[in-house]
Structures are given as structure tokens and as C-alpha cells.
Amino acid sequence: MKPPVPHRRWALAAATALALVVGGLAIPVTRAAEAAPVGAGSYTTTPVGPLPSGCGAMSSNPRQFATANAPAGPIPTNDWWSSLLWKRTDCSFSEPLHAHPISYDTFGDGLGFSANSTPAISGTATGVGEFHYPYVQDIRVGVAGLAAPLVKVDGWTDWTVSPHWSDGTRTMRATIGHGLPFAYFQTTGGNAQISTAGNPDVWSNSGTTIGFRVNGHDYVGFAPSGASWTVASGRISSTLAGRGYFSVALLPPTSSTAERASLAATYGQYAHAHVTGTQVSYVYNPATSGLTTTYAFTTTAREGTATQTVVSLYPHQWKSLSGSTAITPTYPSARGRMKVLTGVNQFRTAMKFQGILPELPAVGDGSGGDLSTLTGHLAATRANPMDQRGNDTYWTGKGLGRAARIAEIADQVNDTTTRDSALNAIRSTLTDWFTASSGKTDRVFYYDNNWGTLIGYPASYGSDQELNDHHFHYGYYIAAAATLAKFDPAWAATSRYGGMVDLLIRDANNYRRGDTQFPYLRDFDIYAGHDWASGHGSFGSGNNQESSSEGMNFASALIQWGQTTGNTAIRDAGVFLYTTQAAAIQEYWFDVSDQNFPTAFGHSTVGMVWGDGGAYATWFSAEPEMIQGINLLPVTGGHLYLGNNPAYVRTNYAELVRNNGGQPTVWQDILWQFQALGDPDAALANLRANPGYTPEEGESRAHTFHWIRNLAALGNVDTTVTGNHPLSAVFSRNGARTYVASNPTATPITVTFSNGTTLAVGAGKTATTGAYTWSGGNAAGGVPPTTPTDPPPTTTPPT
């Protein structure tokens, strides 16, 4: 792996100065902004800071690495294959491309394959540690004599890419993708050639089909009708009968020759139905809180009549598979076992969206001494609700997130002075950033047409030159805008500043197909089910992401913004991102079922997911509190998914204490808030016993107290019941449920839960049932709920 460039928060070497570097000299960039209006807001089309670049410091046009056949419009970034197009570190070829179940690499003479099934594990079970399935080449597929000076990109779809080779005499085009055991090839100018690491163990050669083993992995080459394969000097070749197409498949590990032959025959039925397109679609049904996602494959029959294919599914997919049955054996991968579907052109998953809240209801700190404690904490934030630690997009976002939490809590306990102070800070900050006045060079957004991206300046952690972390940064802006929209809908109107919020949404994860400004779902890997942080992905281990929870902050922000403004397309996109990624986080960051991490890894969580593995580490710290805490912050009502498995919360927290050699000493508030989702009484005891703790940079004492105190009253997240409104949740303590729903609109609603319980929620209010009734904005009570299905608790909440 090439040495990484730290690009996440708190990296000590992060550079935020506005400058271009040419020949070692820093040249400041302070050009005046040329405003492009969006409602009452605007962005600039004149560069005001460093720009993205591909190969070479001044190479800013990514189209130079795409062919004329590549799709028009904005290019995708932040993907598993981005190093192929970006070429950040290699001016000719990509870094390894971890597609799963195969990893690939590009060379002048062809495409390399790795089916490495042996993890490389480093570090210890109590300290920093990593596991990777690094690229170890089994075979290289090309054209005899091919010597291409570089590899370009000839096309892409939702989870496939097509690299292209040409040396002026010979050409090759391949299509590879997530979940595909096949790679598909079209060639000219020479024989197809498969070079192997050592002499291949050929176990079948029936003319058009050859099966062979390399490094313990079984591959099958499929040539056109009338062609044959020959083997000589460790190379397998075919004239392809002059027809110029073939495919190569990796078989799952098998226990017998008969099973291997049977799988080869099954795969052979679809070998010439080349996958030429992939596309996701999703439907959110609020009535059932259900999300149905369809993963569709388009094929082109090079010969024969087959139009279906073979695919392998990640754990988050096969565990939610609907209407199909996956077969065994399975493929090993860096994400766990991948199960196989044969003879399909689509598959569907069905998941439950568990719901989110703008903030926990004030059922435990809405009266008495706890209310006094809370209002005291709130008053302390009044003069500086954002407590901003920096002027760049990330630290501004953190401040906006802090203020949004304060506004939501203050409104619930009728502290209108603090609420309005926080809202005013949000409004003035967002309005400033959303206005590109003449001559303005910072606190401004710039649209770059070459890369199809919106960059905020001052940038940070590579959000400008590498297009890192846009979903992390902008999620805070969108979430704060959603809170402001509830209280100031005029500000949020499209004719005012809502259009600028929409630009931030579309830049990070565009919900519109065919948009000419931004790529579709830039930061979200559709098939893998989660975001990637690095714009270029140019690492030997592929792309990476540490703070999955900040990705979820973006998704929950979309749900809240869409629900508050009445934009169901944005809301539903948020539900898709949120629900899918929540499942992926449980599998690949937390491994809650203890099935996906290598046994010898020794950790119950990772701080970072890489294309080829995971790491109990971060870019910025080796402290266990930060390694585990980076996937917990920011703590908001949009992060209730962290409590979907209370037993795992306790396991995760126990590992933290073990690895840390005791209770946390930094980021204590973040970690106690997480602990409260599994053991709220213990978290409250920790908070009360440590009043002098130092708040995390985006937190406030008011929010930490509110969160922990109210979970101590509400209990654990109850995933067995869902509501027909996206801003709803259910909690259970000692067998008794409390139902919660929030209504950001100006019209009263009634929320119905899946067990028949109903809850009336007033305009702009949060309501609960159960032992407590609380509605934001009225300290004396609120809209009375209907009688809940469950009896009220008989126990007294902790004090």
C-alpha cells in the first residue's frame, strides 16, 4: 500500500491554506468570486482555492483518462474503481481494484486477477491492528503482444467499470464489477492470453471451456463456439475463432472434482451473456416502514440465447434477500462470505427502516432537578451555540451540528431564548456560506465543471484537491438546515436558500439520475452498501472510510430535510442510504454476528473499512477511544441504529475499556452516549460521576445530559415495532414501550405503529406515549396521546 495522505479530521498535518503548489512554490489563489444565483443564495464559478487534480500537479481534467465512448456528464468519484480514472499516484495504471469476490489490477499487457482468501493480520487484539486480503496475482488476462502505455475507462454503470487497453495494434476492453464472478472481454489484434503464476493445473479442457487451478483457486475460461484453448509454458491462449470475445470466471471453493465440474457447467450457461449494465432502484413504503431495493443486471448475448447471469451477494444483501434463494458453496471475501445466485437478471432485498428522530424526547429531564440541570447547561451555550473550532467546511459543520442539537433540546423544554440563539447562529452561518458575493474568497462554495463537484472553501482534509469527505462535511449543513426549516420555513424555500441545500445534497450523493451537474450517488457504493471517503481511492488496499456514523449523519439529514420541506424524493433517497448503510455498518464495521472478521483479528469492531479489509485504527489517532468513537459521532436522533443491538453495544464498550486499560479519558461524552444505547443506567452513572469531563469538539454538556438522562428513562431501542412516519421510534424499558414521533410540519398528524398503537402529534411537536407524555415547545405537557397498547411501566426511572 502506498503511504496514505491523512485526509480525515484531527490529522495534525492537514493543510487548509488556499494555495496551488507548482515546482515547490506555494502560489496563493484569491480570485474574486463570480456568483451563480440559486434562489436568494449563490455559488461561484471562479476558482478561489486549490482544485482537484489527476496525474500530475496541474492535471485537472479527468476526461483525459476516459475514452470517447465513456458516458457524458459528470464523472463519478469516491468509488471502488476510482483510481482507474483518477490516476492520482500512477499516470498509466490503477491501484488494485477490490471488486469482490475478485480483486483486479491493471498493467500494460492486461488485467490481473487475485482471489486471495488468506488474510494478512497485523497488530494485536488490544491495540492497533489490521486485516487485509491484499492483491496477490493468480492470473493476468490480455492479448498476445499487448503493450498499452496506459489504461483508460471506456464506460461505467452503477457497480461495474470497463477499462480499455490500446497499443495502436491491439485492443482489449474488460467489464468487471462488484459481485461478479465473471470478467468479460472484447479484443482485437491478437490471440486471447491468460498468463498464470506458475504452471496452471488444468483439470478440464473441452475445447471452448478450460478449467484450471492457480494458487489454490479455480478459474474457467470460456471461448466462443468454434474456438479452443491451448496451454504452453504457463500460458493459456485462444484465437477465439476470430470472434473477439470471451469471459473468465472464478469458481467458489469446492470440496470435490464433481462439484467443481458441476459449477463450471452451470456458469457456462451464462458465460456469453456479458453484463453490460447494472442499476439500482428502491421503493420506500411509509405505511409498512419497508424499503425494497432492486439490483438489476443488463446483459448482451454474444452468442446463444441466455440473458441471465451469475452474481454473488454480500452479507448485508443475502441476509435480506427477498424472493430468491442463494446457493452454496460461497466465496470468501474481505466482507465475509458471499452467496451465489445463478440464472438471474435481478435480485431484491427487503429491509425495515427503523425510523429516526430530530432529537430524543424530554421524558426524563423535563421537570424537577434534572430540568434545572439541563436549562443550566443550555444557558451556558447561549452566547456561543456553535462553539466553532475552525473556519473550514468540516469544523463549520461540526459547529452547525452542535447548534442544531441545542435548538432542538431547548425547544422541547420551552427555553426559547437559547433555541432562538442557536437558530440565529445556524441561519447567519448558512446564509453566509450560501452567498457568493463579489470578491468573496472564503465561506463560499465553488462549482467545478471538470469534476462535476461543489467545493466549499476553506476546504479541509482533502475535500478540495482529493474530493474527500463531502458527505461528512455537508451532512452537518443539511441537518442544521433541516432544523432551521422547521422553525423558519420561509428561509428554506427553494426561492430562498433551499436550492443551495439541494446543491450540497446532489454533490455528495445525488438522488437524480441524469443530472448534468453531479454524478449519481457520488460517495455511496451502491452494491457494497456504504460510503467511501476518498475521492481518488488510490491506495493498494483500495478505497477507505472510517467515520461511517458521519455518513449516516448525511443520510438522516436527507430524511429530515425531505420530510420537513415536503420533498419525498430526497426523503426516500435518505431512507435508502440510511437503511442500507445501517445494515452494512452492522456487518462490516461492527460484525455484530461475529461472522465476517477473520478469527485471528481479535477485535469486535474496526475504525476503518478498506477495500481489501479493515483496521482497528484511524487516520489521526491510535487511542481506542477515538478508534471506536469515530464510528459513533455525531450522536443525534438520526443515530438510533447504533442501539439496534444493545448486547453488541455492551460488547463494543467492553472492548474499549479493555483496550484502553480502563474507562475512557477522552471523548467520554461520545462514548457514554453510545453506552447509553446498551446500558443507559451505567452511562448515567458514568456521567454523574465525572462532571468535569472535557466535551468532544462538536458536543455540548446540554446534549450529552439530555441524551443519557432520557435513554435512562426510555430504555433500549425496540426494533420489533415501527411507525408509518419516518420521524418515529420505539423504546422499551423493563418490558414497557414508549412510542415517540416528531412532526416538523404545520399540520397535526397521527402516527400509527405496526402493532396498532396510534399517537397524535401536534404541528411542530414531538409526542410520546407510555409512562411519560412530552411535547416539544410546551413545558407544561403537550398533545395527549391515545392509549398505548402496552401498559405503562411500573418501575421508577433512575434518578
Side-chain angles (χ1 to χ4, degrees):
M1 179 169 60
K2 295 178 175 65
V5 177
H7 66 272
R8 293 290 296 113
R9 296 141 300 283
W10 308 282
L12 297 179
T16 58
L18 298 179
L20 293 177
V21 178
V22 182
L25 299 176
I27 303 176
V29 178
T30 55
R31 302 169 187 167
E34 294 179 4
V38 181
S42 55
Y43 61 89
T44 179
T45 56
T46 301
V48 295
L51 299 177
S53 62
C55 179
M58 298 303 293
S59 172
S60 60
N61 183 6
R63 283 282 165 183
Q64 65 181 306
F65 299 118
T67 70
N69 293 326
I75 69 160
T77 63
N78 300 76
D79 220 327
W80 63 274
W81 57 268
S82 288
S83 71
L84 184 61
L85 185 57
W86 194 301
K87 301 191 190 306
R88 177 76 175 183
T89 56
D90 188 322
C91 296
S92 299
F93 308 109
S94 70
E95 299 295 324
L97 310 172
H98 301 286
H100 309 144
I102 308 171
S103 293
Y104 301 95
D105 205 354
T106 56
F107 305 91
D109 59 351
L111 181 68
F113 288 56
S114 169
N116 185 13
S117 55
T118 303
I121 301 173
S122 61
T124 68
T126 57
V128 171
E130 303 188 29
F131 72 88
H132 296 276
Y133 293 80
Y135 181 89
V136 178
Q137 186 163 289
D138 294 331
I139 62 175
R140 190 175 298 181
V141 178
V143 178
L146 178 64
L150 77 162
V151 178
K152 292 190 174 185
V153 177
D154 202 51
W156 56 79
T157 64
D158 277 4
W159 57 90
T160 66
V161 66
S162 295
H164 185 273
W165 291 254
S166 175
D167 63 7
T169 301
R170 293 155 288 264
T171 68
M172 184 173 77
R173 184 185 196 269
T175 295
I176 56 178
H178 272 323
L180 297 181
F182 279 97
Y184 307 96
F185 298 90
Q186 294 173 273
T187 63
T188 65
N191 293 344
Q193 182 172 279
I194 304 173
S195 302
T196 64
N199 290 321
D201 176 9
V202 178
W203 44 264
S204 175
N205 190 351
S206 58
T208 60
T209 303
I210 186 168
F212 56 97
R213 174 169 288 192
V214 179
N215 293 337
H217 306 127
D218 291 305
Y219 293 89
V220 185
F222 299 94
S225 299
S228 61
W229 295 98
T230 60
V231 183
S233 302
R235 291 182 176 177
I236 301 169
S237 61
S238 175
T239 65
L240 305 178
R243 301 174 72 176
Y245 60 83
F246 66 103
S247 62
V248 176
L250 170 72
L251 297 183
T254 56
S255 57
S256 69
T257 302
E259 188 178 12
R260 183 190 310 157
S262 175
L263 279 170
T266 299
Y267 280 39
Q269 298 175 56
Y270 314 104
H272 299 302
H274 287 206
V275 171
T276 50
T278 57
Q279 183 167 305
V280 73
S281 58
Y282 52 85
V283 176
Y284 164 54
N285 183 349
T288 63
S289 202
L291 175 74
T292 301
T293 305
T294 301
Y295 301 84
F297 301 80
T298 301
T299 62
T300 297
R302 303 299 178 195
E303 64 178 63
T305 59
T307 59
Q308 297 173 311
T309 190
V310 180
V311 299
S312 59
L313 281 59
Y314 287 114
H316 79 278
Q317 295 170 322
W318 58 256
K319 288 184 179 181
S320 300
L321 191 61
S322 175
S324 303
T325 302
I327 67 169
T328 54
T330 60
Y331 289 99
S333 83
R335 301 290 174 267
R337 310 300 296 185
M338 300 184 75
K339 293 191 176 183
V340 176
L341 292 174
T342 60
V344 298
N345 51 33
Q346 66 177 31
F347 67 89
R348 290 190 174 92
T349 60
M351 297 178 176
K352 283 290 183 183
F353 169 56
Q354 297 295 152
I356 64 170
L357 295 171
E359 187 49 65
L360 291 180
V363 296
D365 57 2
S367 62
D370 287 325
L371 177 59
S372 297
T373 298
L374 177 62
T375 54
H377 288 322
L378 287 169
T381 71
R382 200 173 294 160
N384 186 17
M386 287 182 56
D387 191 25
Q388 192 172 325
R389 307 299 176 88
N391 196 42
D392 56 59
T393 49
Y394 182 72
W395 288 103
T396 298
K398 293 273 284 187
L400 286 166
R402 183 180 191 268
R405 303 276 61 73
I406 290 167
E408 296 281 3
I409 296 167
D411 181 63
Q412 289 199 41
V413 297
N414 208 30
D415 181 354
T416 56
T417 302
T418 301
R419 179 199 68 190
D420 292 347
S421 174
L423 292 174
N424 289 338
I426 292 170
R427 184 187 297 105
S428 62
T429 300
L430 289 178
T431 301
D432 186 10
W433 276 88
F434 290 168
T435 304
S437 58
S438 177
K440 191 177 184 184
T441 59
D442 67 357
R443 297 172 74 86
V444 65
F445 286 97
Y446 157 73
Y447 178 75
D448 186 88
N449 189 62
N450 280 342
W451 292 87
T453 189
L454 194 72
I455 304 171
Y457 294 98
S460 52
Y461 311 110
S463 60
D464 49 359
Q465 292 175 288
E466 300 181 354
L467 301 188
N468 298 333
D469 301 356
H470 281 203
H471 54 315
F472 293 161
H473 298 205
Y474 299 170
Y476 288 103
Y477 287 68
I478 300 159
T483 291
L484 181 60
K486 180 165 59 176
F487 298 97
D488 188 356
W491 181 94
T494 302
S495 60
R496 297 292 293 161
Y497 294 98
M500 286 298 296
V501 177
D502 189 63
L503 279 181
L504 265 63
I505 293 170
R506 287 160 51 209
D507 171 75
N509 271 310
N510 191 4
Y511 59 96
R512 300 181 186 176
R513 283 198 184 272
D515 193 322
T516 59
Q517 280 189 286
F518 306 101
Y520 184 63
L521 297 180
R522 178 195 308 278
D523 289 329
F524 194 73
D525 189 317
I526 291 168
Y527 202 83
H530 60 79
D531 304 310
W532 289 121
S534 172
H536 55 76
S538 294
F539 303 96
S541 288
N543 215 319
N544 71 90
Q545 176 156 285
E546 52 186 15
S547 188
S548 59
S549 49
E550 285 184 303
M552 292 292 275
N553 190 50
F554 178 93
S556 67
L558 265 59
I559 298 169
Q560 293 182 69
W561 174 260
Q563 188 68 28
T564 302
T565 61
N567 190 318
T568 56
I570 291 177
R571 178 201 67 185
D572 292 0
V575 170
F576 165 67
L577 296 173
Y578 186 97
T579 308
T580 307
Q581 187 157 230
I585 291 167
Q586 301 297 330
E587 298 292 338
Y588 315 130
W589 274 262
F590 295 157
D591 192 15
V592 295
S593 58
D594 197 23
Q595 296 176 340
N596 302 325
F597 296 167
T599 302
F601 177 53
H603 291 281
S604 63
T605 184
V606 295
M608 303 173 69
V609 163
W610 284 93
D612 73 348
Y616 189 81
T618 73
W619 285 106
F620 58 91
S621 174
E623 295 179 84
E625 296 102 326
M626 293 186 177
I627 292 172
Q628 295 183 221
I630 194 59
N631 283 288
L632 310 177
L633 60 81
V635 179
T636 78
H639 290 76
L640 296 176
Y641 73 94
L642 290 169
N644 284 355
N645 188 326
Y648 174 75
V649 173
R650 295 189 290 272
T651 295
N652 184 297
Y653 192 85
E655 174 170 358
L656 167 69
V657 173
R658 181 175 64 252
N659 294 348
N660 194 53
Q663 293 290 328
T665 57
V666 295
W667 283 8
Q668 294 159 295
D669 44 4
I670 297 295
L671 295 160
W672 293 334
Q673 288 176 89
F674 174 64
Q675 183 187 27
L677 290 164
D679 191 348
D681 294 353
L684 184 59
N686 281 334
L687 175 63
R688 293 197 189 279
N690 295 276
Y693 75 91
T694 300
E696 185 268 339
E697 294 90 337
E699 263 297 349
S700 67
R701 293 181 184 278
H703 178 252
T704 298
F705 178 78
H706 176 83
W707 180 270
I708 296 175
R709 179 64 187 89
N710 286 299
L711 282 176
L714 292 164
N716 298 135
V717 175
D718 187 338
T719 60
T720 65
V721 183
T722 55
N724 68 347
H725 189 275
L727 305 184
S728 63
V730 183
F731 301 86
S732 178
R733 180 177 173 84
N734 297 330
R737 291 190 177 109
T738 302
Y739 302 80
V740 187
S742 186
N743 175 16
T745 70
T747 304
I749 62 172
T750 298
V751 176
T752 301
F753 292 86
S754 57
N755 62 0
T757 300
T758 59
L759 176 62
V761 192
K765 305 297 183 181
T766 293
T768 72
T769 66
Y772 311 96
T773 300
W774 188 263
S775 181
N778 182 353
V783 178
T786 58
T787 303
T789 300
D790 304 283
T794 58
T795 57
T796 301
T799 57

